[in-house]
Amino acid sequence: MLLERLRAAPPLTHCITNAVVTGFTANVLLATGAAPAMVDIVGESGMFAGIASGVLINLGTPTPEQQAASREAAEGATAAGTPWVLDPVAIGALPVRTALAQELVALRPTAVRGNASEILALAGLSGGGRGVDATDSTEAAADAATALAQRYGSVVAVSGPVDLLTDGERVVRIANGDPLLTLVTGGGCALGAVMAAFLGAARGTGISALSAVAAASLVYTIAAERAAALSAGPGSFAVALLDALASVQPDDLAAAARVEESIR
Amino acid sequence: MLLERLRAAPPLTHCITNAVVTGFTANVLLATGAAPAMVDIVGESGMFAGIASGVLINLGTPTPEQQAASREAAEGATAAGTPWVLDPVAIGALPVRTALAQELVALRPTAVRGNASEILALAGLSGGGRGVDATDSTEAAADAATALAQRYGSVVAVSGPVDLLTDGERVVRIANGDPLLTLVTGGGCALGAVMAAFLGAARGTGISALSAVAAASLVYTIAAERAAALSAGPGSFAVALLDALASVQPDDLAAAARVEESIR
Amino acid sequence: MLLERLRAAPPLTHCITNAVVTGFTANVLLATGAAPAMVDIVGESGMFAGIASGVLINLGTPTPEQQAASREAAEGATAAGTPWVLDPVAIGALPVRTALAQELVALRPTAVRGNASEILALAGLSGGGRGVDATDSTEAAADAATALAQRYGSVVAVSGPVDLLTDGERVVRIANGDPLLTLVTGGGCALGAVMAAFLGAARGTGISALSAVAAASLVYTIAAERAAALSAGPGSFAVALLDALASVQPDDLAAAARVEESIR
């Protein structure tokens, strides 16, 4: 099972992510069992993407330094064959990150993670959501996700009440999770980092990128369910989520998973 | 009641804030019921201030990029009529932010929030505090607050054991809160963001800016009291504060408020 | 006792630290009893290092702005006689920070804190660890720590299961702490800030830098032990650590300390 493999050999997970969630993201990776490294400056991010097991590029607060470091990391990951995840946060209405997301997706990320509005905007089908919140439903983005997956050879993961993941042929729907995830900043962003970690853990195993991304989503959303059961609100939920990520076991996943797989 | 209105239609709250507290600030907004968006780069912050319901500009870590983004946001908010809050963190001794605060306050923010030393420094009456801590009492800043309010047409909120809020004519004193707020980084900064959210929620209602800022302070400080009662120290307090912000109800506020209003 | 002194007169602790841990670091300082100020921009960090009681320079995410601010702060601290701590995060493989660390250590920091791989790399004896994780044991870095201490007149603190601290003559080993510290991002970085605070509190007392740094390590690692006993995982541990830092008393330290001192 991929979770056991990840814990046995923690994948070095290189994150370029936004200033709002960088601490929480590192803590989510540590709790899950991965080894985070937030290397987001020019002159280091490209070579580090070659050393890392997996890379996340999240566009939530793309300063000029992060823009350049993101390009460097995407090129470094591509050159080295390191799997990488693109999270096009809040693209659509916001011009700087929208242009950068279009440029980076053309470099063919291993996976793209976003909410429905972000995936629609990345596919050129919508003006995007309202800030970081989706204004479109997950299913409304299903065709856009498939189109993106086929165009760029990426797994596309649309987060929502039911997560929809596709490689352009197969579609996986995961009904796990809890609404409290939307009340913690980084609730979605950190999942992108976990996907990068699982893609790193899957290297050399023959496990497909779609399966690795689905495993990441399952671990994360089932941990969220366990945390929600112990929480009095969004503050205690965020704490309990980290505890749950550290304690969740493969058997728990098998028992709790609500997954549907289909062919397009 | 403004809290109900905010939760029914979450105001998109645009924050340019310091690197220390950005995650906590977003979590405070989410817990309260608002929709945070931390858009702090040049080329996005100005137009986004026009889309947002309310804007916070906090000068805690003003990198050159944030300085430029702050100017853009203040101008965008002014042009669009979006209410905005200025938080002049640690001005006085520190030259870069002091000059920037003077420039921004001249653009007539809807509200200014700071501790006594910051408000005195903004009014030109003192050399400022010691880092981020006030070295002056709230009442010592009362005249400076009134002068600033009259000069710039702003509501001025002075945080301290008793918060003092004024629009230059009326003065509101709020005795709620808990000393643990001073042991959590962002305890004050996040209140500035909540003020921006409440100003956003008040748009089009005829509720005055002073009343909106007072409502924000009440919700925040009464939630802090409820959290303190459940806490074993500053760590558990910060967690409980988020839970309390998510659960506090209008009736709780009416029962707990310790407010005095007077005419200057 | 230095902890009591620190709480009676909170040292203004100036931190230039990485974007991942800045909030947690400030909260650790506040909980312990110090007064944090995260002043990391050019034009402010140099003069502020002269005002502060102690300074931390942590190289975890050294943007060009932070690189320049770090140079400014190191020079300002040196000129004013303010004790300062250098934390050369993840140097070795990463070229930008490695060069900066070599430049800064030549300015003779009061203390250097790092894991074994970082200390070996700073001494020029190794290529560094894997991201932020040590790949070398603490004892393997003992000679490098002594060499650095003698070369630069610094106290060198090597973090690990047993912390090793030396001024080049005396060696202190502290066996307190808990492995959960490695599952919280900033678990090590925040200790560097606490060392800066304790060095600030020790000014004018005749207490040696080695003793101040050892006191910081003891308070921090014994608080970690108390927190671990109350925790269900890394999320609740980080919360409990803040509570424990705020409540730990000198008597608790005396009872729990596992310290060995020797002459080289």
Side-chain angles (χ1 to χ4, degrees):
Chain A
M1 210 290 180
L2 203 49
L3 176 59
E4 286 170 311
R5 189 179 165 88
L6 179 147
R7 287 177 177 159
L12 185 59
T13 307
H14 173 196
C15 300
I16 298 178
T17 192
N18 68 77
V20 191
V21 306
T22 179
F24 181 67
T25 300
N27 280 329
V28 162
L29 287 171
L30 285 167
T32 307
M38 317 319 255
V39 178
D40 63 353
I41 63 167
V42 171
E44 291 188 348
S45 73
M47 58 89 73
F48 198 67
I51 298 172
S53 302
V55 177
L56 167 70
I57 300 178
N58 171 301
L59 305 185
T61 52
T63 58
E65 179 78 13
Q66 276 210 346
Q67 293 169 39
S70 295
R71 288 187 185 100
E72 229 189 78
E75 286 162 13
T78 302
T82 310
W84 63 288
V85 177
L86 175 66
D87 190 335
V89 179
I91 65 164
L94 292 165
V96 174
R97 67 193 68 198
T98 304
L100 181 59
Q102 294 296 352
E103 180 187 334
L104 291 175
V105 75
L107 298 176
R108 306 176 69 87
T110 315
V112 176
R113 193 210 74 84
N115 64 36
S117 297
E118 290 157 353
I119 297 302
L120 283 162
L122 193 63
L125 295 173
S126 148
R130 181 167 168 275
V132 295
D133 296 330
T135 52
D136 303 281
S137 80
T138 306
E139 289 303 322
D143 289 346
T146 301
L148 281 173
Q150 293 178 344
R151 199 180 311 161
Y152 299 112
S154 305
V155 170
V156 178
V158 191
S159 295
V162 175
D163 294 336
L164 183 151
L165 288 62
T166 182
D167 60 4
E169 292 300 320
R170 289 176 298 159
V171 178
V172 177
R173 286 180 176 81
I174 299 179
N176 295 96
D178 191 277
L180 278 168
L181 275 176
T182 65
L183 293 186
V184 175
T185 197
C189 294
L191 174 54
V194 177
M195 288 175 177
F198 273 80
L199 286 166
R203 288 173 80 173
T205 63
I207 295 174
S208 72
L210 181 59
S211 296
V213 166
S217 296
L218 263 183
V219 168
Y220 192 75
T221 54
I222 290 173
E225 292 176 0
R226 294 161 67 98
L230 302 170
S231 301
S236 46
F237 171 72
V239 173
L241 176 58
L242 295 172
D243 288 351
L245 284 166
S247 65
V248 69
Q249 298 300 330
D251 286 353
D252 304 321
L253 303 179
R258 297 199 299 280
V259 180
E260 261 189 32
E261 189 165 349
S262 56
I263 304 292
R264 248 196 96 235
Chain B
M1 209 290 179
L2 202 50
L3 177 59
E4 285 169 311
R5 188 180 165 87
L6 180 146
R7 288 176 177 160
L12 184 59
T13 307
H14 173 195
C15 300
I16 298 178
T17 193
N18 68 77
V20 191
V21 306
T22 180
F24 181 66
T25 300
N27 280 330
V28 162
L29 287 171
L30 286 167
T32 308
M38 317 320 255
V39 178
D40 63 353
I41 63 167
V42 172
E44 292 187 346
S45 73
M47 59 89 71
F48 198 68
I51 297 172
S53 302
V55 177
L56 167 70
I57 300 179
N58 172 302
L59 306 185
T61 52
T63 58
E65 179 78 12
Q66 276 210 346
Q67 294 171 38
S70 294
R71 289 185 184 100
E72 229 189 77
E75 286 163 12
T78 302
T82 310
W84 63 289
V85 177
L86 175 66
D87 191 334
V89 179
I91 64 164
L94 293 166
V96 174
R97 66 192 69 199
T98 303
L100 181 60
Q102 294 295 354
E103 181 186 335
L104 292 175
V105 76
L107 298 177
R108 306 176 69 84
T110 315
V112 176
R113 193 210 74 82
N115 63 37
S117 296
E118 291 157 353
I119 297 303
L120 283 163
L122 193 62
L125 296 173
S126 148
R130 181 165 167 276
V132 297
D133 295 332
T135 52
D136 303 281
S137 81
T138 306
E139 290 303 322
D143 289 346
T146 301
L148 280 174
Q150 292 178 345
R151 199 180 312 161
Y152 299 113
S154 307
V155 170
V156 177
V158 191
S159 296
V162 175
D163 294 336
L164 182 151
L165 289 61
T166 182
D167 60 4
E169 291 301 320
R170 289 176 298 158
V171 178
V172 177
R173 287 180 176 80
I174 300 179
N176 296 96
D178 191 277
L180 278 168
L181 275 175
T182 66
L183 294 187
V184 175
T185 197
C189 295
L191 173 54
V194 176
M195 288 175 177
F198 273 80
L199 286 166
R203 288 173 79 172
T205 62
I207 295 174
S208 72
L210 180 60
S211 295
V213 165
S217 296
L218 264 184
V219 168
Y220 192 75
T221 54
I222 290 173
E225 292 176 1
R226 295 161 66 98
L230 303 169
S231 301
S236 46
F237 171 72
V239 173
L241 176 59
L242 296 172
D243 288 351
L245 284 166
S247 64
V248 69
Q249 297 300 330
D251 287 354
D252 304 321
L253 303 180
R258 296 200 299 280
V259 180
E260 261 188 31
E261 189 164 349
S262 57
I263 304 291
R264 251 198 94 235
Chain C
M1 208 290 179
L2 202 50
L3 177 59
E4 286 169 310
R5 188 179 165 88
L6 179 146
R7 287 177 178 159
L12 185 59
T13 307
H14 173 196
C15 300
I16 298 178
T17 192
N18 69 76
V20 191
V21 307
T22 179
F24 181 68
T25 300
N27 280 329
V28 162
L29 287 171
L30 286 166
T32 308
M38 317 320 255
V39 178
D40 64 352
I41 63 167
V42 172
E44 291 187 347
S45 73
M47 59 90 72
F48 198 69
I51 298 171
S53 302
V55 177
L56 167 70
I57 300 178
N58 171 303
L59 305 185
T61 52
T63 58
E65 178 79 11
Q66 277 210 344
Q67 294 170 38
S70 295
R71 288 185 186 100
E72 231 189 78
E75 286 162 13
T78 301
T82 311
W84 63 289
V85 178
L86 175 66
D87 191 333
V89 179
I91 64 164
L94 293 166
V96 174
R97 66 192 69 199
T98 304
L100 181 59
Q102 293 296 353
E103 180 187 334
L104 292 175
V105 77
L107 298 176
R108 306 175 69 87
T110 315
V112 175
R113 192 210 75 83
N115 63 37
S117 297
E118 291 156 352
I119 297 303
L120 283 163
L122 193 63
L125 295 173
S126 147
R130 180 166 168 273
V132 296
D133 296 330
T135 51
D136 303 282
S137 81
T138 305
E139 290 304 323
D143 289 346
T146 300
L148 281 173
Q150 293 178 343
R151 198 180 313 161
Y152 299 113
S154 307
V155 169
V156 177
V158 191
S159 296
V162 176
D163 294 336
L164 183 151
L165 288 61
T166 183
D167 60 4
E169 292 301 320
R170 289 177 298 160
V171 178
V172 177
R173 286 180 175 80
I174 300 179
N176 295 96
D178 191 278
L180 278 168
L181 275 175
T182 66
L183 294 186
V184 175
T185 196
C189 294
L191 174 54
V194 176
M195 288 176 178
F198 273 79
L199 286 166
R203 288 173 80 171
T205 63
I207 295 174
S208 73
L210 180 60
S211 294
V213 165
S217 296
L218 264 184
V219 168
Y220 192 75
T221 54
I222 289 173
E225 291 176 0
R226 294 162 66 99
L230 302 170
S231 301
S236 47
F237 171 72
V239 172
L241 176 59
L242 296 172
D243 288 351
L245 284 167
S247 64
V248 70
Q249 298 301 331
D251 287 353
D252 303 322
L253 303 180
R258 296 201 299 280
V259 179
E260 261 188 33
E261 189 165 348
S262 55
I263 305 290
R264 250 198 94 235

